[in-house]
Structure formats: C-alpha cells, structure tokens
Amino acid sequence: MQIAREVLLRSYRAMRTIRDFEEKLHVEFATGEIPGFVHLYCGEEASGVGVCAHLTDTDTIASTHRGHGHCIAKGVGVDGMMAEIYGKKTGLCRGKGGSMHIADLSLGMLGANGIVGGGPPLICGAALSHKLLKDNGVAVAFYGDGASNEGSTLESLNLATVWNLPAVFVLEDNGYGEATASSYACAGSQKARAAGFGMPYLECDGSDFFSVYETAGEAIAHARSGKGPIMVHVHLARWYGHFEGDAMTYRANGEVAKLRAEKDCLVRFRKRVEEFSLLEAADLDAIDGSVRAEIEAAVVGAKAAPVPEPAELLEDVYVNY
C-alpha cells in the first residue's frame, strides 16, 4: 500500500492533535472550569483519521457524543472547539453547544450528537443530498456498539440500502456501551446485521492507522462509485471512561495499562513509518512540539474568551433557509 508522504504527515498531525487535545481536556476538566459532560476519544485516533483521510470538505460526517476526534480528523480547528467546550462566545457554536454538539457545516461536519444512534439518520439525509445533487460526495456515520442496537441505526441501514445511498456506516466498537460489554449486549454478529440489509461489510484493527486507512479507502470508493452503502466495523478501545468521572469499575485490573502499552496507534504509526523510512523521526518530533504549543494556546484563548450575553439566548435557535 502506497501512501503519499504529505498524507502520512497530515495523518500523524491529526492523530497527535486528537491525543493532545483529549489528554489536555482530561486535566482541565478536573479543575471544574468546563461545563457539562466530556467524553474522550483517546486510544481511538486512528479510526477517525484513517477514515477522514479519504474525505473532502464536500463529503459529510455525523459524529457521536465522543466527537472531538471526528471533528479534528475532518479538519475542524482546535481554537473554536476548545472555546466551545468551555462554553465561550468564540466557540464554533457560540458556546451554546458544548462538547457533545460541536459542528462545523463549512467542513461537512454535521455535529457531535448527544443522542445515541442520532447520527445514522442524519447521514441518510446527507447522502440523499449528495446523490440528488450529483456532487460525488459521500456521507459517513460514526456510531458505537451501543448505538448499533438502536432502532434509528437499524432503520438507517435499511433506508440507505433501499435508496442506494452513498453512505458509509463506521461502527467504532470499543468494547463497551457505557459500562456494558458489547460482547454481552450485541446479539449475533455485526457482519450478519449488515448482510441482513444487503450491505457489504468490512472490518479492521482500529489501533493500526494503516489497517483503517486501507479498509476505509475501499469502503469510501465503493460508496462514491454509486454502489450503495457499506458498513465498516472498527475494533478499537477507549483509554478513559465513558465520560470524565467514570470510575471504570467494570474494567479488569490492568486492562487499560495493557492497551496503552500494546495498542497505542501513535506508537505503532511511528514504528512503522520509521522502520520503512517513510518519515523521519525529526519530522514527527517537530509535529509533536507544534501540536503541543497549539493546544496550550487554544486553552489559554478559551479561558480568556467572553461568555455569551443573556441577550443572545434566543439567537441561532432556528435555522432560516
């Protein structure tokens, strides 16, 4: 598999940005300055980046409550994201959306979503738009193993097939729907579920960027060529709890430590590109330093930004077409 150097550099920067963004939020949330809930994407970076590496601004994605990684992978800026998470006026949604509702329609990011299974129906609409406009776009729904049991998701799989939509359903199976193991809660197999709707099925290792990149490329090319919807089952793991503050008493002792030691997608990426002389260590180190500074600046800017005024409460409640 040949991947251009600029794609490798861009992908590493995106994964590093997600990791540092989330690790910083983990620290900052503990101060009590961030309102609402925060759900971190650490450990899952290769999934969002490996998929979105094949997308353009014309393509659309819908996210989950664990949406920071998808935003960054789609190209959303960290300054506006951080300000939004802090509930500030300079945020992407003017401080009214918070962590679970970040959106940037100009980049085809339809938004994170606090509703489990809320993204797949949105993607059916977006995919229908791409099909009718004939703009060669595809729509991607990221959803979790918990959402795979929701009626809205199953209905979306059916509708996408019936309408032959350019839609890709990316199931990010991190092993838990909140605190319930997917091995317990998901009957049958996800492959059989896809087959039940006449939909092709692919799967990959979500801790390996190259596995995700290759699989996602095949899936997105399938949808973009007019062959209809497809499901991609990504096997991965989150390093933190379902939400910040989750004690994770449902996880085995040493489980997360083992994942960090053996399944770190950033470590695996660096090892591969350096081993095959695809990138230099100095290039990756430079990205690390640049991203670290960018995240620190985003936090400083977010803390200093003003909060929305009371008079703005009813602004942007409805969309006018």
Side-chain angles (χ1 to χ4, degrees):
M1 178 176 51
Q2 297 294 320
I3 305 177
R5 185 173 186 273
E6 56 269 24
V7 173
L8 291 174
L9 286 170
R10 186 168 62 247
S11 297
Y12 180 76
R13 172 175 284 276
M15 289 193 293
R16 173 55 66 190
T17 301
I18 295 169
R19 176 68 57 80
D20 285 9
F21 189 92
E22 301 291 68
E23 295 280 21
K24 187 64 174 177
L25 279 183
H26 177 66
V27 173
E28 292 295 324
F29 188 82
T31 68
E33 295 183 62
I34 296 175
F37 282 95
V38 168
H39 305 75
L40 300 182
Y41 196 68
C42 275
E44 305 184 12
E45 296 89 349
S47 177
V49 174
V51 171
C52 290
H54 297 280
L55 303 179
T56 70
D57 290 353
T58 301
D59 299 319
T60 47
I61 70 170
S63 183
T64 68
H65 53 278
R66 198 177 310 284
H68 307 155
H70 303 140
C71 288
I72 292 170
K74 194 62 169 68
V76 179
V78 297
D79 290 338
M81 287 179 60
M82 193 68 77
E84 186 60 38
I85 290 170
Y86 271 86
K88 297 302 182 71
K89 188 174 181 177
T90 54
L92 282 168
C93 301
R94 300 188 183 182
K96 298 178 181 180
S99 170
M100 286 193 285
H101 300 95
I102 297 175
D104 191 339
L105 301 186
S106 68
L107 294 173
M109 170 54 182
L110 299 185
N113 202 312
I115 303 300
V116 176
L122 297 179
I123 280 311
C124 285
L128 179 61
S129 177
H130 290 309
K131 182 176 181 177
L132 294 178
L133 292 174
K134 299 180 180 179
D135 61 8
N136 199 40
V138 299
V140 178
F142 291 96
Y143 64 104
D145 42 283
S148 73
N149 293 330
E150 291 288 333
S152 57
T153 299
L154 299 172
E155 290 174 19
S156 297
L157 296 175
N158 180 70
L159 186 63
T161 300
V162 169
W163 285 353
N164 194 44
L165 297 177
V168 180
F169 294 91
V170 179
L171 167 57
E172 294 185 317
D173 187 349
N174 62 25
Y176 297 98
E178 291 201 26
T180 304
S182 58
S183 58
Y184 170 83
C186 298
S189 71
Q190 299 293 345
K191 181 177 182 179
R193 293 187 184 190
F197 295 104
M199 186 178 297
Y201 168 94
L202 300 171
E203 59 184 333
C204 57
D205 178 359
S207 68
D208 181 352
F209 167 81
F210 296 94
S211 175
V212 178
Y213 182 87
E214 183 174 17
T215 304
E218 181 181 345
I220 290 167
H222 171 96
R224 205 184 296 280
S225 65
K227 295 179 180 178
I230 186 169
M231 180 189 294
V232 177
H233 189 176
V234 186
H235 300 275
L236 36 67
R238 54 173 162 84
W239 289 1
Y240 290 108
H242 172 66
F243 58 89
E244 283 298 89
D246 178 3
M248 293 196 290
T249 55
Y250 50 88
R251 302 185 82 159
N253 290 333
E255 178 182 335
V256 175
K258 183 177 175 64
L259 289 170
R260 285 180 176 268
E262 300 177 2
K263 296 286 189 176
D264 187 331
C265 58
L266 284 161
V267 171
R268 296 183 71 179
F269 181 96
R270 285 192 66 133
K271 182 179 180 181
R272 176 114 174 233
V273 297
E274 291 177 18
E275 180 181 351
F276 290 96
S277 300
L278 300 175
L279 296 175
E280 300 295 327
D283 295 326
L284 302 175
D285 291 342
I287 290 174
D288 290 347
S290 173
V291 168
R292 193 177 305 115
E294 183 181 16
I295 300 302
E296 291 291 342
V299 172
V300 171
K303 289 184 176 182
V307 298
E309 298 292 336
E312 300 174 59
L313 181 62
L314 299 181
E315 292 181 3
D316 305 313
V317 176
Y318 296 101
V319 175
N320 293 316
Y321 293 100

